[in-house]
């Protein structure tokens, strides 16, 4: 519910268990009032009434502590801001010695009007007339229609500068059932001269005083999503990526709480996640007063946005919320939101993510029709449902030195084209998937030879190669059209069900015909191509990969079905990676492979049970070389896959509880449970075990106390039977002294 009181000028955004409020002050500024959990006994219509807020310390006239809903350069600001604009002239006449002061970099946003609109159409069409339309390719519409499309309310508050020809509309879309507000902003040049925007966040966020414990993730290739929990310093702490993809170094989500007042399942936790896969930044700022605020949106590094007269720009969104059920509760809200409102709803496609086989680690660049066909037979026999051929099938791509850009099937590898393989995959009852890396070229490629200037570079300057490749300039319209038509033709000519869209380098010399707009244009181009492909091929599924988990965020999840979480397939390393991923993103989209006994990345030897127990926590995939396995081991794979299929609906659609986290226990115990509590999956993996440690069983959550449950293992054997009450009070015994690499998965069902 969105409530506005014309007397106090207070806006209340009322969600299931939280409230967000701001007001228009006597000068017309839009100032933050409160954001937090609602008192448990509050009526669903209870709102903040005021008046009298001006006398609170936040609302005194000290500009430093004034809590703007969008803070701007000028207007009293001396700290971090969300918006900076340069105006080329004053509206009044200038005296000659004032002219050197231009441009005027002072924006004052004052209330003009507001409206509440319903998003009657969810989809990529910006001409829908809905208040929630977005710039094509960017995120407020979130790509494809999600599974739940019931209309939601959006509040649009129009602000203008009193003298300069500039408007900003702050947008708040409510998903009350998950306590989520999506915020974004629209900026418009209403004057006759071009304007330059020098910094633009999607939103300024204000947290309660003292909410300075930050949870975020950082990492690198093979080490994505490493969780860090820290106390914010006084001043500014940023998490960011200066790239045209989301990046490995950090991921655009956060959780914040007052230290000591939140834990895994308890306490008030604030969270936010950007729906954007380009250069992003979230700057947290803590003032002397312990006020904590964040500026979340485009990275100001090398940023510039020119608005021609009459032009406007709509930013992507940030999904924010507050939850009284700890970090776990915050994760569950983000997961539910992503599942219902962000991930594309399969058109007629599989309701659950299929079990995947990917031949990359089995054959690398050593591809052949016979070799792949041998793998398809073994994969199908063990229950695989989607067979994906990885890198190396096209152009001159016999290794990573050549061929990117030439997306035609290589006769050296597949003399009869891909059709014989695709037909065989389909005959065996599996879907067919193919790897592509459409944003790139190798200098040794026909595409580069034909268009050496189609890449990001500064004329006359060296072009840095990374994995022997260069990045196409998506600032050129003809490049975006070329990439689209190449992929369109590939999909028209072949019965492809799935593409793994990879992206294996960072931009270095960002020279583009689009100038500095390339930082946004690249991402918008990727989104546009994906959206058009999905519209043209509604059954197509896409996996987002960028050297593993380098492009994972709510923006890409809106147009892909799953992500490749990391190139690191070592099950023990993977627990950490998956735990960090799970803070913000749902298991359904988390592709996880079982690979070789002797792991190719780390060299570690781990038992098959552990490799499956970790991979079955997400979308299960197989990446081992099946030709190297004995029949007995193939049969074991088949038995695990059959086990996974019995409970995958719980993993892919249930609620996650991190019952024991690595940080505290050296073990990771998680549970997925269905919304009605009738079914659950219980998964234990021990990472570290020291003699003398006794791990208590982890009480389960979300079951029905009075009901009785059976817990079965992979063989269908009942290993435990207890009431929901017992399970939620004591847990499942038997794992206390499991040593390093001990693991087990149980499927619980109400009888
Ligand atoms: C990247 C991906 C891998 C694989 C290779 C192929 O590293 O993350 O999964 O597809 O490229 O070159």
């Amino acid at each position: 519910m969105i409530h506005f009181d014309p007397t106090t000028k207070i806006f209340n955004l009322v969600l299931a268990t939280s409230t967000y409020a701001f007001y228009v002050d006597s000068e017309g500024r839009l100032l933050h009032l409160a954001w937090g959990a609602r008192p448990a006994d509050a009526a669903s219509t209870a709102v903040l009434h005021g008046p009298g807020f001006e006398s609170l310390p936040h609302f005194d006239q000290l500009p430093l502590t004034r809590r703007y809903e969008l803070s701007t350069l000028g207007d009293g600001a001396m700290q971090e801001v969300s918006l900076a604009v340069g105006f080329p002239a004053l509206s009044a006449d200038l005296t000659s010695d004032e002219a050197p002061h231009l441009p005027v970099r002072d924006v004052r946003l004052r209330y003009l009007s507001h409206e509440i609109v319903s998003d009657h159409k969810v989809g990529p069409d910006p001409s829908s007339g809905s208040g929630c339309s977005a710039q094509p390719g960017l995120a407020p519409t979130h790509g494809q229609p999600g599974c739940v499309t019931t209309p939601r309310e959006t509040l649009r508050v129009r602000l203008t500068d009193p003298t300069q020809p500039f408007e900003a509309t702050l947008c708040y879309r409510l998903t009350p059932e998950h306590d989520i507000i999506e915020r974004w902003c629209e900026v418009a040049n209403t004057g006759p001269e071009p304007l330059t925007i020098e910094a633009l966040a999607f939103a300024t966020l204000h947290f309660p005083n003292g909410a300075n414990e930050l949870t975020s993730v950082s990492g690198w290739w093979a080490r994505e999503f490493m969780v860090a929990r820290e106390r914010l310093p006084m001043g500014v702490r940023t998490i960011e990526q200066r790239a045209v993809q989301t990046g490995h170094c950090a991921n655009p989500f956060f959780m914040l709480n007052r230290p000591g007042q939140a834990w895994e399942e308890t306490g008030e936790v604030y969270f936010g996640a950007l729906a954007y896969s380009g250069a992003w930044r979230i700057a947290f700022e803590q003032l002397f007063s312990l006020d904590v605020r964040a500026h979340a949106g485009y990275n100001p590094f090398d940023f510039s946005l020119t608005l021609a007269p009459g032009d406007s720009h709509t930013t992507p969104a940030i999904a924010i919320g507050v939850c009284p059920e700890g970090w776990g509760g915050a994760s569950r809200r983000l997961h539910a939101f992503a599942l219902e409102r962000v991930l594309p709803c399969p058109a007629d496609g599989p309701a659950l993510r299929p079990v995947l086989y990917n031949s990359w680690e089995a054959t690398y660049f050593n591809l052949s029709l016979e070799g792949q066909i041998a793998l398809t037979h073994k994969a199908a026999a063990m229950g695989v449902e989607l067979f994906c051929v990885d890198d190396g099938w096209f152009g001159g791509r016999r290794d990573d030195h050549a061929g990117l850009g030439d997306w035609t099937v290589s006769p050296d590898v597949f003399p009869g084209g891909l059709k014989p393989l695709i037909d065989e995959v389909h005959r065996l009852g599996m879907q067919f998937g193919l790897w592509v890396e459409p944003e790139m070229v190798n200098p040794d490629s026909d595409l580069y030879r034909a268009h050496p200037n189609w890449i990001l570079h500064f004329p006359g300057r060296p072009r840095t190669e990374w994995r022997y490749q260069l990045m196409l300039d998506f600032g050129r319209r003809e490049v975006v059209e070329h990439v689209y038509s190449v992929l369109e033709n590939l999909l028209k000519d072949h019965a492809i069900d799935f593409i793994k869209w990879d992206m294996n380098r960072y931009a270095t010399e960002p020279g583009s015909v689009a100038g500095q707009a390339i930082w946004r244009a690249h991402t918008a181009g990727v989104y546009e191509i994906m959206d058009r492909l999905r519209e043209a091929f509604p059954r197509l599924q896409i996996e987002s990969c960028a050297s593993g988990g380098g492009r994972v965020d709510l923006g890409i999840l809106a147009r892909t079905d799953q992500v490749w979480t990391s190139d690191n397939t070592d099950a023990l390393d993977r627990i950490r990676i998956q735990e960090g991923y799970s803070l913000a993103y749902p298991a359904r989209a988390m592709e996880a492979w079982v690979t070789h006994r002797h792991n190719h990345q780390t060299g570690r030897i781990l038992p098959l049970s552990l490799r499956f127990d970790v991979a079955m926590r997400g979308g299960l995939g197989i990446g081992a070389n099946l030709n190297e396995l004995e029949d007995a081991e193939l049969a074991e794979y088949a038995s695990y896959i059959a086990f996974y299929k019995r409970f995958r609906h719980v993993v892919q659609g249930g609620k996650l509880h991190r019952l024991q986290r690595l940080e505290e226990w050296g073990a990771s115990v998680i549970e997925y449970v269905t919304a009605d509590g009738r079914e659950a999956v219980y998964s234990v993996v021990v990472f570290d075990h020291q003699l003398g440690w006794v791990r208590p069983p982890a009480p389960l959550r979300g079951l029905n106390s009075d009901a009785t449950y059976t817990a079965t293992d992979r063989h269908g054997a009942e290993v435990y039977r207890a009431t929901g009450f017992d399970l939620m009070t004591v847990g499942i015994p038997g794992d206390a002294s499991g040593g390093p690499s001990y693991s087990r998965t149980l499927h619980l069902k109400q009888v």
Side-chain angles (χ1 to χ4, degrees):
M1 177 185 83
I2 297 171
H3 179 271
F4 177 67
D5 181 333
T7 313
T8 57
K9 297 202 169 60
I10 296 176
F11 292 94
N12 275 274
L13 314 185
V14 182
L15 302 118
T17 65
S18 61
T19 295
Y20 185 108
F22 50 91
Y23 76 118
V24 183
D25 82 352
S26 53
E27 304 286 318
R29 303 178 188 104
L30 202 62
L31 299 182
H32 188 77
L33 198 45
W35 180 24
R38 296 159 60 75
D41 66 342
S44 61
T45 50
V47 291
L48 281 169
H49 283 107
F53 298 120
E54 275 83 353
S55 62
L56 293 172
H58 291 129
F59 304 103
D60 68 15
Q61 290 310 302
L62 193 61
L64 180 63
T65 53
R66 205 179 273 144
R67 303 203 293 175
Y68 289 95
E69 279 289 293
L70 195 74
S71 65
T72 59
L73 181 68
D75 205 7
M78 53 165 281
Q79 66 280 10
E80 203 59 41
V81 293
S82 290
L83 171 68
V85 189
F87 297 102
L90 271 182
S91 48
D93 286 342
L94 288 175
T95 57
S96 59
D97 67 341
E98 273 181 311
H101 288 59
L102 290 174
V104 175
R105 289 159 57 247
D106 175 17
V107 198
R108 291 167 194 255
L109 296 177
R110 300 295 181 260
Y111 175 80
L112 201 58
S113 64
H114 73 269
E115 59 175 337
I116 297 167
V117 291
S118 165
D119 57 359
H120 29 81
K121 181 168 190 297
V122 181
D125 177 10
S127 62
S128 66
S130 146
C132 304
S133 299
Q135 183 188 7
L138 293 183
T141 48
H142 290 320
Q144 306 298 305
C147 280
V148 177
T149 54
T150 48
R152 290 168 291 175
E153 285 184 311
T154 299
L155 170 64
R156 298 168 53 83
V157 187
R158 222 172 123 203
L159 308 170
T160 189
D161 188 281
T163 56
Q164 295 287 3
F166 180 77
E167 283 188 11
T169 301
L170 310 196
C171 304
Y172 303 78
R173 175 164 59 184
L174 273 58
T175 307
E177 63 276 25
H178 303 314
D179 285 281
I180 283 189
I181 302 171
E182 287 156 275
R183 283 197 58 186
W184 70 95
C185 89
E186 299 168 12
V187 287
N189 177 358
T190 54
E193 304 274 345
L195 295 182
T196 304
I197 300 190
E198 295 161 8
L200 180 60
F202 313 158
T204 311
L205 307 172
H206 297 274
F207 305 95
N209 174 285
N212 58 19
E213 187 171 63
L214 170 69
T215 305
S216 65
V217 295
S218 60
W220 188 234
W221 176 80
R223 232 180 104 67
E224 297 88 340
F225 299 107
M226 296 293 112
V227 182
R229 188 155 290 132
E230 68 193 291
R231 202 68 79 81
L232 288 176
M234 289 294 158
V236 178
R237 155 89 167 97
T238 59
I239 56 173
E240 65 168 350
Q241 187 77 53
R242 300 174 179 194
V244 296
Q245 70 268 48
T246 328
H248 295 81
C249 302
N251 191 273
F253 76 85
F254 67 86
M255 292 184 186
L256 268 184
N257 56 273
R258 286 190 163 126
Q261 294 198 8
W263 201 244
E264 183 58 26
E265 292 284 348
T266 54
E268 213 161 287
V269 171
Y270 291 78
F271 59 91
L274 295 173
Y276 187 52
S277 322
W280 60 272
R281 185 180 78 143
I282 307 176
F284 299 93
E285 187 176 27
Q286 182 169 213
L287 305 185
F288 64 91
S289 54
L290 298 187
D291 277 3
V292 178
R293 47 185 65 172
H295 309 267
Y298 292 131
N299 196 318
F301 167 75
D302 202 27
F303 181 86
S304 179
L305 167 63
T306 304
L307 288 182
D311 261 11
S312 64
H313 176 87
T314 301
T315 72
I318 178 166
I320 58 168
V322 54
C323 165
E325 289 143 20
W327 302 311
S331 298
R332 286 189 289 279
R333 275 165 171 70
L334 280 167
H335 297 169
F337 177 71
L339 287 175
E340 292 175 13
R341 299 286 189 170
V342 178
L343 282 165
C345 208
D348 222 13
L352 293 168
R353 296 307 308 143
V355 176
L356 170 93
Y357 180 79
N358 181 297
S359 59
W360 174 241
E361 287 200 22
T363 51
Y364 292 107
F365 287 105
N366 191 17
L367 290 179
S368 69
L369 178 65
E370 299 66 38
Q372 295 298 301
I373 290 216
L375 290 169
T376 62
H377 288 198
K378 292 191 169 158
M382 64 173 52
V384 165
E385 297 157 313
L386 164 59
F387 184 93
C388 183
V389 173
D390 211 280
D391 200 352
W393 57 269
F394 53 92
R397 186 79 168 170
R398 299 297 75 80
D399 56 33
D400 57 6
H401 288 68
L404 286 176
D406 300 340
W407 301 105
T408 47
V409 182
S410 166
D412 299 345
V413 182
F414 295 108
L418 278 175
K419 192 166 184 311
L421 176 60
I422 297 178
D423 286 350
E424 187 61 4
V425 167
H426 286 155
R427 192 189 66 77
L428 291 166
M430 298 186 290
Q431 302 173 62
F432 180 77
L434 197 62
W435 179 95
V436 289
E437 192 180 356
E439 296 148 81
M440 302 293 165
V441 284
N442 286 117
D444 185 359
S445 67
D446 292 342
L447 184 67
Y448 183 79
R449 282 183 281 273
H451 299 286
N453 290 328
W454 271 17
I455 56 148
L456 290 186
H457 73 291
F458 290 108
R461 310 289 296 172
R463 310 158 182 215
T464 301
E465 290 178 24
W466 188 322
R467 206 194 185 199
Y468 318 105
Q469 64 198 56
L470 298 164
M471 198 180 291
L472 285 168
D473 179 5
F474 274 33
R476 287 179 186 262
R477 191 66 223 161
E478 66 270 31
V479 169
V480 173
E481 287 303 331
H482 169 82
V483 172
Y484 177 75
S485 68
V486 161
L487 293 173
E488 187 192 33
N489 289 336
L490 195 62
L491 293 168
K492 271 190 187 153
D493 296 347
H494 301 92
I496 295 170
D497 307 286
F498 171 96
I499 55 174
K500 173 176 172 183
W501 181 309
D502 206 343
M503 204 273 194
N504 284 315
R505 68 159 291 172
Y506 284 88
T508 46
E509 295 81 21
S512 160
V513 296
Q516 285 163 267
I518 188 60
W519 293 106
R520 296 180 306 283
H522 187 94
T523 309
V526 171
Y527 285 177
E528 179 196 319
I529 295 169
M530 287 185 176
D531 288 347
R532 284 169 67 187
L533 288 176
R534 295 198 75 121
E535 204 141 315
F537 305 94
R539 286 191 181 77
L540 177 70
Q541 302 155 60
I542 305 179
E543 175 175 277
S544 168
C545 172
S547 304
R551 188 148 58 193
V552 181
D553 61 83
L554 292 183
I556 206 72
L557 285 182
R559 29 193 65 84
T560 54
D561 300 270
Q562 62 188 48
V563 299
W564 179 222
T565 323
S566 177
D567 277 347
N568 187 343
T569 60
D570 177 296
L572 286 181
D573 281 3
R574 199 59 184 227
I575 315 170
R576 270 188 211 291
I577 295 170
Q578 294 184 179
E579 188 171 296
Y581 168 99
S582 82
L583 289 178
Y585 305 113
R588 180 188 169 93
M590 182 179 76
E591 182 63 21
W593 301 349
V594 170
T595 54
H596 306 83
R597 185 168 161 269
H598 196 138
N599 186 270
H600 285 192
Q601 290 80 41
T602 62
R604 188 149 47 188
I605 293 177
L606 293 171
L608 188 65
S609 52
L610 176 75
R611 286 179 273 145
F612 265 101
D613 285 331
V614 172
M616 291 191 303
R617 291 175 165 202
L620 178 63
I622 310 294
N625 188 349
L626 306 181
N627 294 330
E628 285 172 355
L629 301 181
E630 305 287 329
D631 286 351
E633 208 172 359
L634 288 170
E636 255 199 289
Y637 272 65
S639 124
Y640 274 109
I641 291 172
F643 184 38
Y644 175 71
K645 286 180 181 171
R646 292 207 292 275
F647 62 66
R648 71 173 143 180
H649 58 285
V650 186
V651 171
Q652 296 186 17
K655 295 180 180 188
L656 168 71
H657 291 277
R658 291 178 291 257
L659 303 177
Q660 286 182 4
R661 295 173 309 134
L662 278 181
E663 200 182 311
E664 287 104 31
W665 302 93
S668 159
V669 183
I670 65 169
E671 175 195 2
Y672 294 103
V673 56
T674 53
D676 63 8
R678 297 177 65 87
E679 229 178 316
V681 173
Y682 175 79
S683 168
V684 183
V685 178
V686 177
F687 186 88
D688 181 23
H689 182 77
Q690 291 165 27
L691 208 58
W693 269 13
V694 179
R695 270 184 313 279
L700 278 79
R701 292 185 163 261
L703 304 174
N704 301 311
S705 290
D706 292 341
T708 299
Y709 291 82
T710 55
T712 49
D713 67 10
R714 163 165 72 106
H715 307 289
E718 181 177 313
V719 295
Y720 199 61
R721 178 181 280 251
T723 63
F725 185 87
D726 283 10
L727 290 165
M728 290 192 288
T729 311
V730 179
I732 301 176
D735 301 312
S737 54
S741 306
Y742 167 84
S743 67
R744 74 166 166 169
T745 303
L746 296 174
H747 179 199
L748 283 92
K749 261 182 136 167
Q750 192 172 317
V751 291

